Amino acid sequence: MRCVVTGGAGFVGSHLCERLLADGHEVVAIDNLITGSVANIAHLRDPRFDFFHHDVSKFIYLAGAVDFVFHLASPASPVDYLEYPIQTLKVGSLGTHNALGLAKEKGCGLLFASTSEVYGDPLVNPQPETYHGNVSTTGLRGCYDEAKRFGEALVMAYQRQHGIPTRIIRIFNTYGPRMRLRDGRVVPNFICQAVNGEDLTIYGDGQQTRSFCYVDDTVDGMVRLAWSQEALPVNIGNPDERTIRQFAEDILRLTGSRSQIVYQPMPTDNDPQQRRPDITKARTLLGWEPRVPFEEGMVRTIDDMRRRLRDEAAAGKGLS
Ligand code: NAD
Ligand code: UDP
């Protein structure tokens, strides 16, 4: 199959491109590099892989047949979408419209990368797909949350009005190699701080929870959902929930760091207090569940980030 991956030069997108190539497909990655990098796809030297530098909030023209569109383009880290709130709203709305238009033109299916943020600061834990969420339209996170909520509604409209086979994956916090070192998310922040001997910055009291899923597991869930018949949203994430304080201690232990933990004010409002996916639907419908245990995934991620930090330091000193 010839698959399009919007956001293909990003963290999750680059892993998806790798997986699709490994499964024998042709891949066209489309990305404007606003938060991604060609470094993420530089290793994909394969005649079946193409890269198209383009902003999908503008009309997408692509020659030739397309068999499936994976629409992942969007800033995803709170630091990124706070820096680019308008671009985030545009890619969730206009970008999703264009991606759906491409799928309609090519007569193929589309998977939309949605997020656990559609649940906002949830009042039920864990969150099943049937929960409608608790989102502030005017809060700082609103640009991302509402863009994804609108994206989901648009996808459902295309499915109902035009009969496009669409899939919606609600991704929960995903981590792994190739996350940008300074994207501001808690995983790269704590690992870089621990490795560099800097203080680990907990925002708020550290009692808020997150559930971290290794990227290979997320991508596997995405591929299974794409090839399934499920037309309604499916949560993909790891139910292994922990507080941010516990996570800071885990990172200190796994890196062997002697850094201190410090507390800072929350940089955004509406920071979800708890987040844990209910994955009953993914288990039942897709036979999917996360396979990579927390420590194994974190050690792989720490090794990758240590190496990149060393390379950066060496480049800074003119050594490479
Ligand atoms: P990322 O920032 O690494 O990747 C996003 C990619 O989209 C980047 O390469 C960026 O340059 C590209 N992009 C953004 N706007 C674009 C535009 N207008 N046109 C073309 N390309 C554009 O983020 P990620 O973590 O890889 O997230 C990928 C997708 O998964 C996003 O849609 C995100 O909302 C979703 N998601 C991720 C997580 C997570 O924990 N990583 C959780 C929930 C949802
Ligand atoms: N966080 C933190 N210190 C940091 C970065 C993030 O305490 O240096 C907290 C953040 O406030 C949130 C959680 O860690 O409660 C996860 O943040 P992240 O930015 O990774 O993503 P989110 O799940 O909020 O989208």
Side-chain angles (χ1 to χ4, degrees):
M1 300 216 313
R2 184 167 184 244
C3 301
V4 167
V5 179
T6 76
F11 159 54
V12 178
S14 65
H15 284 272
L16 175 64
C17 291
E18 211 171 84
R19 164 71 189 261
L20 292 170
L21 289 168
D23 287 351
H25 304 296
E26 285 176 44
V27 177
V28 182
I30 308 181
D31 202 299
N32 67 351
L33 304 179
I34 188 172
T35 58
S37 165
V38 286
N40 289 333
I41 48 173
H43 63 293
L44 301 178
R45 282 188 207 93
D46 188 311
R48 293 170 303 140
F49 181 71
D50 251 341
F51 175 65
F52 180 18
H53 188 179
H54 179 71
D55 178 350
V56 298
S57 297
K58 301 190 174 122
F59 186 84
I60 308 168
Y61 174 76
L62 199 62
V66 173
D67 299 298
F68 201 85
V69 177
F70 290 88
H71 177 44
L72 276 67
S74 170
S77 153
V79 168
D80 289 338
Y81 57 72
L82 291 180
E83 189 176 353
Y84 302 113
I86 298 172
Q87 290 89 337
T88 302
L89 280 155
K90 283 174 79 172
V91 75
S93 52
L94 304 176
T96 304
H97 188 216
N98 290 328
L100 285 160
L102 178 68
K104 180 165 168 271
E105 163 70 20
K106 304 293 182 185
C108 72
L110 174 143
L111 175 140
F112 175 57
S114 187
T115 167
S116 54
E117 283 279 330
V118 299
Y119 302 124
D121 186 7
L123 304 177
V124 298
N125 198 41
Q127 296 85 54
E129 289 86 351
T130 47
Y131 179 53
H132 290 170
N134 177 36
V135 172
S136 161
T137 53
T138 53
L140 289 170
R141 288 175 176 253
C143 61
Y144 181 68
D145 301 6
E146 293 298 344
K148 292 290 187 180
R149 289 171 68 97
F150 178 86
E152 287 196 9
L154 193 60
V155 163
M156 292 308 297
Y158 264 69
Q159 183 188 122
R160 292 181 179 124
Q161 197 170 331
H162 293 307
I164 309 257
T166 57
R167 314 281 173 253
I168 297 174
I169 177 174
R170 290 188 180 149
I171 304 172
F172 284 63
N173 294 68
T174 293
Y175 73 96
R178 296 209 283 273
M179 283 187 101
R180 230 166 68 238
L181 297 174
R182 291 171 196 81
D183 84 2
R185 286 184 270 196
V186 71
V187 174
N189 269 16
F190 283 3
I191 294 177
C192 291
Q193 289 163 343
V195 169
N196 288 332
E198 296 160 6
D199 292 342
L200 270 63
T201 52
I202 289 185
Y203 302 152
D205 63 8
Q207 290 310 302
Q208 71 271 36
T209 67
R210 292 295 185 274
S211 310
F212 298 104
C213 189
Y214 190 67
V215 64
D216 289 356
D217 283 330
T218 300
V219 165
D220 187 51
M222 194 178 281
V223 170
R224 283 178 192 237
L225 176 60
W227 308 152
S228 79
Q229 299 298 314
E230 180 54 26
L232 289 171
V234 178
N235 289 339
I236 292 289
N238 193 324
D240 179 10
E241 180 183 14
R242 65 195 68 218
T243 64
I244 292 300
R245 166 82 206 192
Q246 178 62 53
F247 181 57
E249 287 167 3
D250 291 331
I251 292 300
L252 290 179
R253 180 172 49 81
L254 293 171
T255 53
S257 169
R258 291 165 146 191
S259 290
Q260 305 295 308
I261 291 175
V262 297
Y263 291 87
Q264 294 186 353
M266 287 281 183
T268 68
D269 50 7
N270 308 113
D271 192 295
Q273 278 308 294
Q274 47 188 3
R275 181 179 290 155
R276 176 184 180 189
D278 180 331
I279 58 166
T280 311
K281 193 169 173 186
R283 277 200 173 104
T284 318
L285 276 181
L286 310 176
W288 178 89
E289 59 183 7
R291 303 214 171 277
V292 180
F294 175 82
E295 298 213 349
E296 190 182 322
M298 282 299 164
V299 167
R300 285 189 211 165
T301 309
I302 290 166
D303 287 349
D304 168 74
M305 291 190 181
R306 258 194 220 284
R307 185 186 49 73
R308 285 191 282 149
L309 285 168
R310 260 199 311 266
D311 289 351
E312 269 191 11
K317 289 183 192 141
L319 298 178
S320 72

